[in-house]
């Protein structure tokens, strides 16, 4: 509901415990001085900023498809959180971007006129009436759609706005469109007819204080009439942080409706627009163009209709943005957005409009001609889950709404360019040529593209819904394996200097938007990632999973040699020959403050799962018989030794302990101890010979009892680390955190193993906390604390919730067999 009062206030003002400070203080000091040099002196935004964001708790379903920028929208009707610069956000509310309703009687007398917003008076646009009662509004969000309902009892009207963005599984054309359609339904419950006008206003920029610094222009556009309807709108051309962008707002004029527009209105008071609407219920009609060398310009489109007593009418608007060419802050290369290949930016020979206006018209026309098909496709997709009566209601919300990050996670979807890292395979047979290149951020605050140790969890969303994008991403990672960057740098945690990227290793990330992703990889510089134990293994596991899901033989043929190189390199981490790799006693995996020493449950399970996967891949691929035989013997023998060592060194009888170090925290019960097993289980693999079924079940019961039920009354998911005596493991900040994405993956493992109630109860704690207690839906953080703190707003890992959907399907399959 609009105007709901939240019961709890959480923040990101984290304070490490005293015993955690000795390990963290050197990092804080080095980071502080590096931050000064990077941001304060060089003016380059750090990949992790010193200033942590605080959740605004205002967000709803964002506008836009995948990889072409997004415009956030709040649940009170505001437009906010613009991501027009690749990987970078502005978090301002743009008050001039609104919907306005004007109601007149059949004689033309004004009955009602208000801004359709529940935010109250923002202190700007003083001529507008901001007094809509938020108690008369309601909001429902189910990504990629949302519904805003406005009740106007004094006029016996109910207005409903359905917001539709074209995020459609397995659709690689419409899903990349920078567009949203707003379908307004006007319900007149009065005994008298009324003229109702809905006006959509929009201005240049993003609502920031810099919007008026550059030139901007606006221009009307019209489409040819089709089936008694035509499109009329305004294109608004401007520049955002050095990148040209053109907004387009438009309306579909149906029979018995009138669409009018205004190319510019006063964005300070709004009096000219407000007075015109109040007097006539309409705006201008003629074609016009308006330009400013410096300043702000507001534009508007109005749709008017006479709605009979006890009748309904529908008005349709679109919002698009045309940003065909982008560059990152490094400016070494320009990239083309993928959607550009599907639109026509040519002007008709007899018209005098800009090419950008023609492109916006093409986008708007396409959207308004196809939004019904989008809606139908989204309904068909979502109904398979929504109509499953055995799934909890909260899960039906979470599974779709967590997917917002695919679009609003700084994602880019661009045409593949030959000018990149050295190629793994011939581009003529590469999936990237047909489907483009995709990347998304680790988090709004952790600005690194395709952070691979985290994407490992999130990748279930891509492989389920847009598998070609997952394969494309994998080709980029494979290319980066062989690449090396011998430039050296000092790492912030230990002060050591090392090469940025060594050959034959999986990258931590594909780059920072403040540099040049795909050219400058491994932007993460807290630790040296060259010897991270989990990165190589996570690549192997994803290759196997992706093949299992797609059955793409070409993909497997291309990737197996890379997997072989990585596995053989990883074998050097088995220093005692027991078949298990050892952790180094420093931060060498995704838990980058929670160090592991010797064999560990986390990396050990990933290692065994990777050995199993490469054995299965080698069996599948045609290759030299002698090589095949030798590799199979090597990996199978290592797997057998590793399986026995894993059992002997880490199994306690109730769980797999954190690691084999002699430190007290080595006995910790880690929520993610079955990570490797989870990944293979989601591939529908029976790996009981690797991970004994009885051990898995016993460990899951221990985790549910200790890490879930004994932590915050079972209401906050699974804490990362719990001591055997039932106390929280405070060894490091990460051990006391709940990682939202890890909780989802643990829940999936429980459900797959028949612990359905326990699994959904575990995951429910995340949903109830994030969406209901603290109102941080559509900015889900990475970590939650028992002390009402959170960390890392808008994070990638929670997309692992799609592994719960996979577990649910597999469980039903098992029950039916």
């Amino acid at each position: 509901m609009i105007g709901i009062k939240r019961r709890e206030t959480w923040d990101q003002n984290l304070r490490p415990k005293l015993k955690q400070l000795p390990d963290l203080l050197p990092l804080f000091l080095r980071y502080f001085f590096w931050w000064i040099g990077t941001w304060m002196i060089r003016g380059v935004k750090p990949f992790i900023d010193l200033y942590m964001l605080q959740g605004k708790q205002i967000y709803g379903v964002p506008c836009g498809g995948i990889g072409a920028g997004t415009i956030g929208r709040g649940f009170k009707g505001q437009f906010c959180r613009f991501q027009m610069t690749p990987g970078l956000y502005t978090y301002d509310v743009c008050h001039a971007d609104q919907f306005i309703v004007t109601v007149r009687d059949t004689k033309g007398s004004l009955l009602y006129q208000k801004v359709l917003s529940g935010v109250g008076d923002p202190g700007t646009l003083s001529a507008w009436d901001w007094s809509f009662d938020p108690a008369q509004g309601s909001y429902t969000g189910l990504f990629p759609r949302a519904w805003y309902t406005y009740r106007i009892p004094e006029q016996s009207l109910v207005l409903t706005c359905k917001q539709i963005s074209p995020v459609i599984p397995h659709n690689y054309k419409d899903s990349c469109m920078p567009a949203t359609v707003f379908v307004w339904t006007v319900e007149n419950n009065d005994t008298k007819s009324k003229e109702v006008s809905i006006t959509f206003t929009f201005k240049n920029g993003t609502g920031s204080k810099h919007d008026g610094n550059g030139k901007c222009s606006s221009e009307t556009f019209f489409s040819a009439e089709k089936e008694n309807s035509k499109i009329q709108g305004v294109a608004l051309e401007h520049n955002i942080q050095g990148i040209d962008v053109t907004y387009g707002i438009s309306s579909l004029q149906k029979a018995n409706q009138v669409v009018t527009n205004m190319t510019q209105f006063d964005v300070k008071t709004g009096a000219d627009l407000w007075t015109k609407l109040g007097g006539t219920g309409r705006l201008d009609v003629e074609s016009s163009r308006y330009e400013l060398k410096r300043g702000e310009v507001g534009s508007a489109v109005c749709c008017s209709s006479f709605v009979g007593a006890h009748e309904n009418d529908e008005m349709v608007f679109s919002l698009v943005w045309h940003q065909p060419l982008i560059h990152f802050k490094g400016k070494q290369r320009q990239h083309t957005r993928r959607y550009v290949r599907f639109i026509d930016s040519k002007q008709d020979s007899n018209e005098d409009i800009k090419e950008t206006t023609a492109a916006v018209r093409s986008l708007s026309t396409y959207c308004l001609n196809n939004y019904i098909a989008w809606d139908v496709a989204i309904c068909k997709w979502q109904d398979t889950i929504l109509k499953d009566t055995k799934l909890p209601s909260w899960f039906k919300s979470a599974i779709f709404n967590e997917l917002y990050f695919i679009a609003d996670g700084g994602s880019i979807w661009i045409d593949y360019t030959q000018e990149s890292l050295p190629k793994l395979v011939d581009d003529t047979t590469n999936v990237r040529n047909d489907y483009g290149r995709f990347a998304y951020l680790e988090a709004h605050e952790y600005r690194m593209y395709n952070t691979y140790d985290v994407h490992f969890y999130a990748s279930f969303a891509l492989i389920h819904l847009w598998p070609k994008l997952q394969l494309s991403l994998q080709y980029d990672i494979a290319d980066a394996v062989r690449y090396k960057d011998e430039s050296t740098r000092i790492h912030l945690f230990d002060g050591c200097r090392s090469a940025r990227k060594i050959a034959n290793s999986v990258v931590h990330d594909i780059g920072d938007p403040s540099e040049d992703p795909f050219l400058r990889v491994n932007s993460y510089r807290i630790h040296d990632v060259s010897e991270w134990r989990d990165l190589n293994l996570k690549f192997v596991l994803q290759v196997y999973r992706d093949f299992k899901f797609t059955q793409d033989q070409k993909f497997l043929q291309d990737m197996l040699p890379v997997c072989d190189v990585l596995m053989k390199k990883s074998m050097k981490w088995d220093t005692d020959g027991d078949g298990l790799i050892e952790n180094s006693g420093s931060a060498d995996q995704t838990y980058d403050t929670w160090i592991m020493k010797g064999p560990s449950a986390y990396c050990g399970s990933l290692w065994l799962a990777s050995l199993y996967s490469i054995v299965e891949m080698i069996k599948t691929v045609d290759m030299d018989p002698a090589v095949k035989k030798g590799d199979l013997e090597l990996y199978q023998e290592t797997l057998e030794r590793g399986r026995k060592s894993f059992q002997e060194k880490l199994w306690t009888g109730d769980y797999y302990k954190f690691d084999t170090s002699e430190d007290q925290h080595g006995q910790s019960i880690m929520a993610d101890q079955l990570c490797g097993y989870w990944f293979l289980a989601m591939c529908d693999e029976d790996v009981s010979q690797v991970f004994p079924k009885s051990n898995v079940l016993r460990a899951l019961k221990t985790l549910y009892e200790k890490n879930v039920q004994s932590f915050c009354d079972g209401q906050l998911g699974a804490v990362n680390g719990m001591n055997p005596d039932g106390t929280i493991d405070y060894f490091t900040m990460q051990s006391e955190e709940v990682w939202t994405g890890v909780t989802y993956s643990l829940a999936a493992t429980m459900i797959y193993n028949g612990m359905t109630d326990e699994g959904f109860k575990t995951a429910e704690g995340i949903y109830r906390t994030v969406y209901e207690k603290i109102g941080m839906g559509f900015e889900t953080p990475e970590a939650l604390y028992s002390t009402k703190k959170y960390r890392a707003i808008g994070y990638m890992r929670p997309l692992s919730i799609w592994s719960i959907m996979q577990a649910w399907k597999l469980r039903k399959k098992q029950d039916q067999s």
Side-chain angles (χ1 to χ4, degrees):
M1 293 291 291
I2 293 177
I4 188 171
K5 292 184 179 180
R6 296 191 172 78
R7 293 171 291 177
E8 297 184 4
T9 300
W10 292 38
D11 60 51
Q12 199 166 198
N13 299 320
L14 303 173
R15 291 186 177 89
K17 294 176 172 54
L18 286 176
K19 71 175 186 177
Q20 297 169 352
L21 282 176
D23 288 333
L24 295 176
L25 192 57
L27 168 63
F28 291 159
L29 291 174
R30 290 190 188 94
Y31 175 84
F32 176 72
F33 288 113
W34 171 79
W35 179 85
I36 290 176
T38 301
W39 179 235
M40 302 301 292
I41 297 177
R42 293 170 51 216
V44 177
K45 202 169 184 65
F47 72 97
I48 299 178
D49 205 343
L50 182 65
Y51 294 110
M52 293 181 292
L53 298 172
Q54 299 299 329
K56 288 198 169 184
Q57 302 172 316
I58 64 173
Y59 297 113
V61 173
C63 300
I66 300 172
T70 47
I71 298 175
R73 195 151 187 238
F75 64 82
K76 293 184 180 181
Q78 63 272 57
F79 288 86
C80 46
R81 196 167 75 191
F82 288 69
Q83 194 250 134
M84 292 289 110
T85 304
L88 302 174
Y89 297 81
T90 57
Y91 295 90
D92 303 289
V93 174
C94 193
H95 299 295
D97 301 348
Q98 297 291 344
F99 285 100
I100 298 168
V101 61
T102 304
V103 184
R104 292 152 41 93
D105 63 20
T106 54
K107 296 180 180 180
S109 297
L110 180 65
L111 302 175
Y112 183 93
Q113 184 166 297
K114 289 186 189 294
V115 179
L116 292 171
S117 169
V119 299
D121 188 349
T124 184
L125 293 160
S126 55
W128 294 7
D129 187 340
W130 297 88
S131 64
F132 180 82
D133 182 1
Q136 295 298 324
S138 61
Y139 174 79
T140 301
L142 196 66
F143 184 83
R145 297 180 296 174
W147 295 261
Y148 296 79
T149 300
Y150 303 85
R151 295 174 290 276
I152 310 175
E154 59 267 46
Q155 295 298 324
S156 300
L157 290 173
V158 177
L159 309 178
T160 303
C161 175
K162 177 161 66 171
Q163 172 185 311
I164 308 168
S165 293
V167 180
I168 305 167
H170 307 286
N171 182 322
Y172 297 92
K173 178 182 179 182
D174 294 346
S175 292
C176 68
M177 293 292 171
T180 296
V181 172
F182 304 95
V183 182
W184 283 87
T185 301
V186 180
E187 180 183 341
N188 182 11
N189 297 314
D190 205 343
T191 57
K192 299 178 181 179
S193 297
K194 296 180 179 180
E195 183 189 40
V196 179
S197 301
I198 302 290
T199 302
F200 187 18
T201 65
F202 224 78
K203 67 174 283 294
N204 66 299
T206 62
S208 81
K209 61 183 179 181
H210 304 295
D211 286 352
N213 290 349
K215 65 179 182 179
C216 55
S217 64
S218 58
E219 185 174 22
T220 56
F221 62 85
F222 304 85
S223 74
E225 188 165 328
K226 180 181 179 182
E227 298 178 357
N228 296 320
S229 64
K230 65 179 181 180
I231 295 166
Q232 180 176 339
V234 180
L236 188 55
E237 187 175 11
H238 52 124
N239 186 281
I240 299 176
Q241 295 190 36
I243 300 178
D244 292 329
V245 58
T246 305
Y247 293 152
I249 58 173
S250 63
S251 183
L252 182 64
Q253 180 174 306
K254 302 179 182 179
N256 303 316
Q257 293 181 347
V258 176
V259 174
T260 54
N261 67 269
M262 195 170 189
T263 51
Q264 61 92 14
F265 66 83
D266 179 5
V267 295
K268 292 183 178 179
T269 69
D272 47 353
L273 177 141
W274 196 262
T275 301
K276 185 167 290 190
L277 283 175
T280 66
R282 300 178 185 183
L283 300 173
D284 301 325
V285 178
E286 69 276 5
S287 176
S288 61
R289 182 182 295 171
Y290 179 78
E291 294 186 8
L292 275 178
K293 291 184 178 180
R294 182 183 178 87
E296 298 175 82
V297 59
S299 56
V301 174
C302 173
C303 183
S304 304
S305 175
F306 282 95
V307 185
H310 300 291
E311 292 184 355
N312 300 338
D313 200 4
E314 184 179 270
M315 304 175 186
V316 187
F317 297 83
S318 73
L319 167 64
V320 303
W321 48 97
H322 179 49
Q323 193 183 45
L325 300 176
I326 60 171
H327 59 77
F328 299 103
K329 290 297 182 179
K331 298 184 179 180
Q332 292 188 46
R333 182 183 303 116
Q334 204 169 50
H335 302 272
T336 302
R337 300 273 199 191
R338 175 178 163 81
Y339 78 87
V340 175
R341 66 172 67 183
F342 302 119
I343 66 164
D344 181 9
S345 60
K346 296 178 181 178
Q347 304 102 313
D348 294 336
S349 58
N350 61 344
E351 66 181 351
D352 178 27
I353 63 172
K354 294 181 178 180
E355 182 179 339
T356 53
T357 301
V360 163
R361 178 180 59 190
S362 176
L363 266 171
S364 303
T365 302
Y366 184 82
C367 295
L368 292 173
N369 286 340
N370 288 278
Y371 76 92
I372 295 176
W374 295 349
D375 201 24
V376 170
I378 293 168
C379 280
K380 184 178 180 181
W381 161 44
Q382 293 187 336
D383 278 354
T384 59
I385 294 174
L386 297 177
K387 291 182 178 180
D388 189 333
T389 58
K390 294 184 178 180
L391 283 171
S393 295
W394 67 263
F395 177 76
K396 296 174 183 179
S397 170
I399 189 70
F400 294 115
N401 285 330
E402 292 288 18
L403 199 60
Y404 84 97
F405 198 80
I406 289 289
D408 196 34
S411 62
I412 54 168
W413 193 350
I414 54 180
D415 279 341
Y416 179 52
T417 174
Q418 304 259 339
E419 301 170 3
S420 186
L421 301 178
K423 302 300 177 295
L424 173 72
V425 295
D426 184 354
D427 286 319
T428 59
T429 59
N430 195 306
V431 68
R432 289 174 291 188
N433 286 325
D434 294 330
Y435 297 97
R437 164 176 271 161
F438 173 79
Y440 59 153
L441 295 177
E442 179 179 340
H444 285 198
E445 295 181 276
Y446 297 1
R447 289 176 293 274
M448 294 164 281
Y449 275 115
N450 293 350
T451 301
Y452 200 69
D453 56 307
V454 182
H455 170 70
F456 173 75
Y457 296 85
S459 62
F460 276 96
L462 279 187
I463 196 61
H464 270 287
L465 305 174
W466 296 277
K468 299 296 186 182
L469 293 188
Q470 169 64 11
L471 298 189
S472 172
L473 186 155
Q474 289 283 72
Y475 274 100
D476 279 333
I477 298 297
D479 282 349
V481 165
R482 295 179 178 176
Y483 174 74
K484 64 180 179 179
D485 182 344
E486 295 179 342
S487 62
T488 61
R489 58 187 179 179
I490 294 175
H491 296 284
L492 301 176
F493 186 83
D494 57 13
C496 294
R497 181 179 291 274
S498 66
R500 180 164 177 150
K501 170 67 173 67
I502 66 171
N504 296 326
S505 65
V506 170
V507 293
H508 173 274
D509 59 86
I510 211 70
D512 175 359
S514 291
E515 295 185 310
D516 262 285
F518 307 107
L519 280 179
R520 298 284 287 166
V521 299
N522 279 349
S523 58
Y524 175 89
R525 59 181 303 155
I526 294 177
H527 302 281
D528 180 5
V529 297
S530 301
E531 300 292 324
W532 269 27
R533 303 306 195 247
D534 60 339
L535 290 171
N536 293 357
L537 313 183
K538 287 175 175 177
F539 179 81
V540 175
L541 284 168
Q542 285 187 71
V543 166
Y544 183 57
R545 189 272 318 274
D546 297 346
F547 169 69
K548 288 277 291 186
F549 275 56
T550 65
Q551 292 299 302
D552 189 325
Q553 292 286 344
K554 178 66 170 60
F555 170 76
L556 181 59
Q557 195 80 39
D558 290 339
M559 295 297 157
L560 184 55
V562 184
C563 292
D564 184 54
V565 167
L566 293 172
M567 288 298 289
K568 286 174 179 172
K569 180 177 179 180
S570 301
M571 281 184 171
K572 74 175 185 178
W573 297 325
D574 177 10
T575 58
D576 59 5
D578 67 347
L580 274 185
I581 61 172
E582 284 86 42
N583 289 93
S584 62
S586 61
D588 59 8
Q589 31 69 42
T590 195
Y591 295 87
D592 54 0
T593 70
W594 198 5
I595 63 172
M596 302 171 186
K597 188 174 182 180
S600 66
Y602 182 70
C603 290
S605 72
L606 290 172
W607 173 244
L608 296 181
S610 299
L611 287 167
Y612 175 91
S613 298
I614 198 163
V615 166
E616 295 302 310
M617 288 189 282
I618 291 171
K619 289 178 181 177
T620 302
V621 171
D622 289 332
M623 56 192 299
D624 181 272
V627 174
K628 186 169 190 172
K629 182 175 182 294
D631 283 347
L632 280 175
E633 289 177 352
L634 171 65
Y635 292 125
Q636 285 175 328
E637 192 274 335
T638 305
L639 176 59
E640 180 58 24
R641 283 188 290 115
R643 181 191 66 79
K644 292 179 180 178
S645 298
F646 193 70
Q647 176 76 9
E648 292 170 0
K649 295 185 175 183
L650 293 164
W651 179 246
T652 67
D654 290 315
Y655 65 96
Y656 291 100
K657 60 185 180 179
F658 181 74
D659 65 19
T660 59
S661 67
E662 296 180 359
D663 299 324
Q664 182 180 352
H665 80 277
Q667 300 298 316
S668 184
I669 305 169
M670 186 188 195
D672 217 1
Q673 63 185 265
L674 294 171
C675 187
Y677 169 83
W678 158 70
F679 207 85
L680 287 182
M682 296 307 101
C683 298
D684 200 17
E685 292 286 335
D686 179 7
V687 288
S688 56
Q689 294 302 311
V690 181
F691 302 96
K693 184 76 170 179
S694 58
N695 287 16
V696 170
L697 290 173
R698 181 60 243 169
L700 289 173
K701 290 176 181 177
T702 299
L703 286 165
Y704 185 68
E705 175 188 342
K706 298 288 188 179
N707 298 55
V708 180
Q709 292 291 79
S710 298
F711 177 74
C712 294
D713 297 322
Q715 303 299 310
L716 194 59
V719 67
N720 279 343
M722 183 70 81
N723 294 315
D725 63 3
T727 59
I728 299 172
D729 181 357
Y730 289 113
F731 175 74
T732 177
M733 293 179 69
Q734 289 181 345
S735 61
E736 64 171 304
E737 291 178 334
V738 173
W739 283 10
T740 51
V742 168
T743 291
Y744 284 147
S745 64
L746 174 59
T749 311
M750 292 177 177
I751 292 167
Y752 177 81
N753 282 281
M755 296 172 61
T756 305
D757 292 342
E758 294 90 336
F760 280 121
K761 178 67 175 175
T762 296
E764 184 177 2
I766 299 297
Y767 179 83
R768 299 295 183 194
T769 300
V770 171
Y771 284 83
E772 296 180 354
K773 289 184 180 179
I774 59 177
M776 287 186 66
F778 309 100
E779 54 179 343
T780 304
E782 154 79 322
L784 304 170
Y785 288 80
S786 62
T787 54
K788 296 186 179 180
K789 305 289 182 184
Y790 55 80
R791 180 175 62 79
I793 288 173
Y795 205 79
M796 177 196 290
R797 203 178 327 245
L799 286 169
S800 64
I801 194 172
W802 279 89
S803 71
I804 295 182
M805 198 64 239
Q806 174 70 357
W808 178 249
K809 292 178 181 178
L810 294 175
R811 187 70 229 171
K812 290 199 295 184
K813 176 183 173 183
Q814 293 170 19
D815 292 343
Q816 293 169 1
S817 61

